[in-house]
Amino acid sequence: MTSPSANVKLVSNAMANATRRKIMAMLVEKERTNAEIEKAVGAAMLDYHLQMLQQAGLAEIKDGTVILTDFGKNFMETKSAEKPAESINDLSGTKPLQIMEIRQLLPCIADESKFRVISRLEPALGGSLKLVEPLFTRARYSERIGALIIQSGNILITLYSTGNVTMTMIKSEAEAKEILENLKNTINKAIASGVTPVPREKVKVDHAEIYEYLPKTNCQICGEQSCYTFAIKLVGRETTLDKCTPLLEAKYTTNLEHIRALLEYL
Ligand code: SF4
């Protein structure tokens, strides 16, 4: 028989994962088939997630349907009763966004064939902005600057809680408009559905990705043997970005912005 402390550990491990929390939230509403769960959370490791929930005694599978156990129901009820009022935060009441005019199109310092764009979406999302982070594949909300940083290839989009938007490495005004339109539509779709995106696990960043944006001169100014070593130490938090002073050169402006964005993911 499993001891009570082992049970607590199993439950805590099971609920430590965002996908499993999402499955539990779905099961609170009603029982679900495997296919329904797969549609909502994806097929990756679904069997493993369900197994973790079963081992913790939170859910069980009966006739191909996943249901909450009595323990699972009690657990979820207690959890929602414990939730402090101020932590309940969703997109309901949020007004759809509109694109205001693109205010500035400036040449990028790093690459003059590209532009840095400053624009604005209204109304400002304020505190709701962090809730839309899971809508984007590569995005991270930074509490420090109060902005959502979204990566799309070489383009870096920073949407501030004030409504201001900056974009780097943009080819043309038409491209800027298209990106803004997609950004607006993605967020408005979530607002219209009335469903707040489920928080997901952190976007993973590794040293190889950071290395791509370093100067790659191996100049050793940072005190490391190579840019690659510096990238490894940055990810391990054994050094700080300001040690690479070459990154302050104008030609590396965009690289620096990208690395800063990636470090927000750590
Ligand atoms: S100072 Fe920057 S460019 Fe020079 S080795 Fe270190 S990481 Fe590379």
Side-chain angles (χ1 to χ4, degrees):
M1 189 178 156
T2 318
S3 71
S5 63
N7 261 339
V8 170
K9 202 165 175 203
L10 286 174
V11 172
S12 133
N13 284 346
M15 295 303 286
N17 175 279
T19 303
R20 295 195 284 274
R21 288 197 297 276
K22 184 170 179 179
I23 296 171
M24 287 296 285
M26 289 174 71
L27 296 176
V28 167
E29 292 166 9
K30 59 177 186 168
E31 60 185 46
R32 306 281 181 165
T33 61
N34 253 37
E36 282 175 321
I37 298 176
E38 186 178 317
K39 198 172 165 200
V41 303
M45 297 177 74
L46 181 55
D47 287 344
Y48 170 73
H49 290 312
L50 292 177
Q51 197 186 343
M52 289 288 284
L53 293 174
Q54 285 184 92
Q55 275 173 1
L58 293 164
E60 58 187 336
I61 302 176
K62 269 190 185 166
D63 305 325
T65 306
V66 188
I67 58 171
L68 285 183
T69 59
D70 288 342
F71 172 67
K73 280 180 203 158
N74 282 339
F75 175 83
M76 292 304 278
E77 273 168 25
T78 315
K79 218 168 156 284
S80 75
E82 280 173 358
K83 203 183 276 179
E86 60 272 20
S87 74
I88 298 169
N89 201 353
D90 57 39
L91 288 175
S92 60
T94 306
K95 295 209 173 76
L97 298 178
Q98 285 185 1
I99 302 173
M100 307 315 283
E101 61 190 337
I102 293 174
R103 285 183 292 159
Q104 283 183 51
L105 214 61
L106 306 165
C108 271
I109 303 167
D111 179 350
E112 294 199 349
S113 67
K114 304 272 170 55
F115 297 97
R116 161 181 291 274
V117 175
I118 301 174
S119 182
R120 191 168 169 78
L121 292 176
E122 285 189 1
L125 282 172
S128 302
L129 180 60
K130 67 179 80 169
L131 300 177
V132 303
E133 179 197 273
L135 296 175
F136 304 93
T137 316
R138 298 280 296 175
R140 181 86 183 134
Y141 180 78
S142 164
E143 296 280 357
R144 193 173 53 81
I145 60 171
L148 184 66
I149 302 162
I150 304 163
Q151 263 185 298
S152 174
N154 267 343
I155 296 171
L156 202 61
I157 307 158
T158 309
L159 171 56
Y160 292 86
S161 51
T162 55
N164 287 342
V165 187
T166 62
M167 294 184 278
T168 59
M169 302 298 275
I170 299 292
K171 286 199 269 271
S172 62
E173 187 166 353
E175 185 179 50
K177 279 184 180 157
E178 191 186 328
I179 291 171
L180 280 170
E181 195 65 31
N182 288 340
L183 181 64
K184 178 197 81 169
N185 290 343
T186 304
I187 296 175
N188 282 352
K189 208 168 145 195
I191 292 172
S193 75
V195 178
T196 302
V198 176
R200 57 140 193 253
E201 286 171 67
K202 275 184 166 187
V203 171
K204 300 271 190 305
V205 170
D206 64 15
H207 58 274
E209 197 171 355
I210 288 182
Y211 172 71
E212 282 308 308
Y213 292 101
L214 286 173
K216 296 182 186 159
T217 57
N218 300 329
C219 69
Q220 302 187 343
I221 291 173
C222 57
E224 304 302 335
Q225 284 201 332
S226 66
C227 296
Y228 199 76
T229 313
F230 182 73
I232 292 171
K233 294 211 170 171
L234 255 188
V235 170
R237 297 187 186 278
E238 293 171 51
T239 188
T240 49
L241 188 57
D242 57 1
K243 298 256 170 64
C244 175
T245 49
L247 273 176
L248 297 175
E249 292 170 34
K251 62 183 175 185
Y252 295 126
T253 304
T254 309
N255 294 45
L256 182 58
E257 279 186 60
H258 270 272
I259 295 176
R260 282 191 177 135
L262 291 171
L263 292 179
E264 291 287 343
Y265 298 152
L266 291 178

